[in-house]
Amino acid sequence: MSRGLFITGTDIGVGKTLITSALLQALGAGGYTTLAMKPVATGCWQTADGLRSEDAESLIAAMNQDASYREVNPVALETISEPVVSALQNRVDLTIDELAAQSVSLSRRADWLLIEGPGGVQTPITRTDTAADLALAIGFPILLVVGLRPGCINHAAMSVESLKEKGLRLAGWIGNECDGSTADLTATVHTLEKKIPADCLAVIRWQPRLDRQQLARQLHPAARKIAR
Ligand SMILES: Nc1ncnc2c1ncn2[C@@H]1O[C@H](COP(=O)(O)OP(=O)(O)O)[C@@H](O)[C@H]1O
Ligand SMILES: [Mg+2]
């Protein structure tokens, strides 16, 4: 049976791509077949084969099954503004249901499909729908990446509230020190544990010399917990 997670974050730049890629590698090391999806990507660059997203390319490098670029990243937009603005500027007609149907069909081809959502929970995708609406249409539980930086308790609490409001299930959260060192990491994580009604699957320290293999190994216990 295929399983999946919809990965969202407390903000952009909190480590969603980094952690999703490491989790794909950790699940792969655990013997699972894996695929990934970045349904909507902004800030893409033009290549001979069309627009490409750095996030989607990272996910493709970390998954262990084959899928075409378009299957992984159906909507690639050049602008770096919020997806709704980009979608309008690029006249892309997006429907949440189409994206959800594509992800469900991709999920049948691997044990695990990890989907990196755009931005945070309330990031707009179309004129009317947010990342949370897309997650709801897909139906996977949520993994919340909390960027451990000033303001994160507020951002995490608001994200949890929004997920709850939509009726989305939180499978767990990962704290990531995404901005260099956090003043009081232990106290911050302790407070987050009380605020977030789901398991903390890992706490990742800032790595000045980022070692992706080591990060994937660090997430082996998280992958085992998720797959349980
Ligand atoms: N714990 C960390 N240690 C070192 N670099 C990190 C860490 N977390 C995130 N980064 C870096 O921060 C940037 C933003 O991370 P990314 O995964 O792209 O965030 P998001 O997908 O949430 O926008 C990337 O360059 C990433 O490599
Ligand atoms: Mg990303």
Side-chain angles (χ1 to χ4, degrees), residues 15 40 47 49 58 79 83 100 112 145 149 176-177 194 227:
V40 182
T47 72
D49 299 320
S58 298
T79 55
W112 281 93
V145 176
R149 58 190 183 198
N176 179 39
E177 207 179 25
K194 287 197 257 173

Side-chain angles (χ1 to χ4, degrees), residues 52 61 70 79 87 91 163 180 225:
R52 291 290 180 265
R70 274 291 151 257
T79 55
R91 297 180 195 185
L163 293 170
K225 267 194 207 169

Side-chain angles (χ1 to χ4, degrees), residues 20-80:
T20 306
S21 302
L23 259 183
L24 284 162
Q25 288 178 281
L27 285 165
Y32 295 101
T33 55
T34 58
L35 280 169
M37 202 176 175
K38 171 85 191 178
V40 182
T42 50
C44 300
W45 68 93
Q46 197 63 250
T47 72
D49 299 320
L51 287 167
R52 291 290 180 265
S53 137
E54 196 178 335
D55 284 12
E57 298 281 19
S58 298
L59 300 176
I60 289 169
M63 68 193 197
N64 65 18
Q65 298 300 291
D66 288 332
S68 72
Y69 182 84
R70 274 291 151 257
E71 287 176 306
V72 173
N73 176 214
V75 182
L77 304 166
E78 226 165 346
T79 55
I80 52 164

Side-chain angles (χ1 to χ4, degrees), residues 148-201:
L148 299 172
R149 58 190 183 198
C152 70
I153 294 166
N154 178 43
H155 286 162
M158 289 194 299
S159 302
V160 166
E161 203 54 45
S162 291
L163 293 170
K164 199 168 128 197
E165 220 171 78
K166 286 279 173 195
L168 286 160
R169 187 174 81 78
L170 196 54
W173 62 280
I174 291 181
N176 179 39
E177 207 179 25
C178 57
D179 263 5
S181 61
T182 305
D184 194 344
L185 191 73
T186 310
T188 303
V189 170
H190 190 62
T191 306
L192 287 166
E193 277 171 333
K194 287 197 257 173
K195 291 261 174 213
I196 307 176
D199 269 0
C200 175
L201 300 171

